[in-house]
Amino acid sequence: LKTIILNPNISVSYAGGVDTAQKAIEELYKLENFEIGKIKSLLLKIHSENDCETDFLIASLENQPLLYKISDNKIDVSNSFQWIGDIRGFNLFQKEYLPNLKSQDPKHISTVHSNAFDKVIESDQIESVGGFHITAHRTKFGIEYLFKMSLNMGRSETMTLKQGTNIIPWG
């Protein structure tokens, strides 16, 4: 899982070294409270101490919706978009996303975004991208995981998850 929801107002995503990300997550959960300033400082410190091998993206709804990108030993802030990870993966995402964006309807944007992300995961062009797609999105309750999961293991299988406990077959 590359996105962790810390509380309804803050989530943290990562790209790069899994060991560094695991260390960061463990350190985050040691904090007494999830205050955005402490989170930014801690993740920048861990990023810098580990040769910038792992980038972080913090989504915050605290005062206003903001995205904090921790990369190249600095923090960049935006109220519209940020990206972390392989630039070739981002370029493929843009190639799949932009031409298919036909309206400003939030459901349309979400669908086009999800489809473009799935195309990147399914592509064999980008070795550093793969696995499964889980979306965190903003709701009236704050940041939540979207109740949808997609896993790419080389063979397509569709299943519908119902509310409650679901057993996902493996293999």
Side-chain angles (χ1 to χ4, degrees):
L1 189 62
K2 292 188 134 190
T3 297
I4 306 298
I5 298 174
L6 298 176
N7 69 28
N9 292 317
I10 300 174
S11 70
V12 174
S13 303
Y14 74 90
V18 176
D19 290 339
T20 301
Q22 181 66 38
K23 175 183 175 183
I25 292 165
E26 289 170 4
E27 292 299 316
L28 284 169
Y29 280 111
K30 290 179 184 176
L31 294 175
E32 290 180 22
N33 57 31
F34 296 126
E35 194 272 319
I36 192 66
K38 289 180 183 177
I39 293 168
K40 291 188 309 185
S41 296
L42 175 64
L43 293 179
L44 179 61
K45 179 178 179 271
I46 291 170
H47 168 77
S48 298
E49 288 174 349
N50 290 277
D51 299 323
C52 305
E53 73 165 358
T54 304
D55 294 341
F56 297 97
L57 183 65
I58 306 165
S60 172
L61 302 177
E62 288 200 317
N63 296 318
Q64 62 175 314
L66 291 173
L67 296 168
Y68 300 93
K69 175 182 176 178
I70 299 175
S71 181
D72 299 322
N73 275 321
K74 65 181 190 261
I75 301 174
D76 291 320
V77 64
S78 173
N79 64 357
S80 58
F81 75 93
Q82 293 278 17
W83 68 272
I84 55 175
D86 191 316
I87 184 64
R88 293 175 309 128
F90 181 69
N91 288 339
L92 180 57
F93 171 82
Q94 293 288 80
K95 181 181 165 196
E96 296 291 336
Y97 177 71
L98 293 173
N100 294 306
L101 195 57
K102 308 288 188 220
S103 83
Q104 294 298 310
D105 175 61
K107 287 184 181 179
H108 171 73
I109 293 170
S110 178
T111 299
V112 172
H113 184 277
S114 183
N115 290 343
F117 204 89
D118 287 341
K119 291 281 188 183
V120 176
I121 291 172
E122 293 167 6
S123 170
D124 58 3
Q125 298 174 29
I126 317 294
E127 290 180 19
S128 67
V129 179
F132 56 94
H133 177 187
I134 293 179
T135 300
H137 66 132
R138 183 179 179 183
T139 72
K140 65 182 179 180
F141 303 109
I143 301 170
E144 295 182 342
Y145 294 111
L146 184 65
F147 192 65
K148 170 188 170 188
M149 184 181 83
S150 176
L151 178 64
N152 183 11
M153 297 296 289
R155 173 174 59 88
S156 178
E157 183 175 331
T158 302
M159 61 181 64
T160 302
L161 301 177
K162 298 184 175 26
Q163 190 143 2
T165 302
N166 293 271
I167 298 172
I168 300 174
W170 189 260

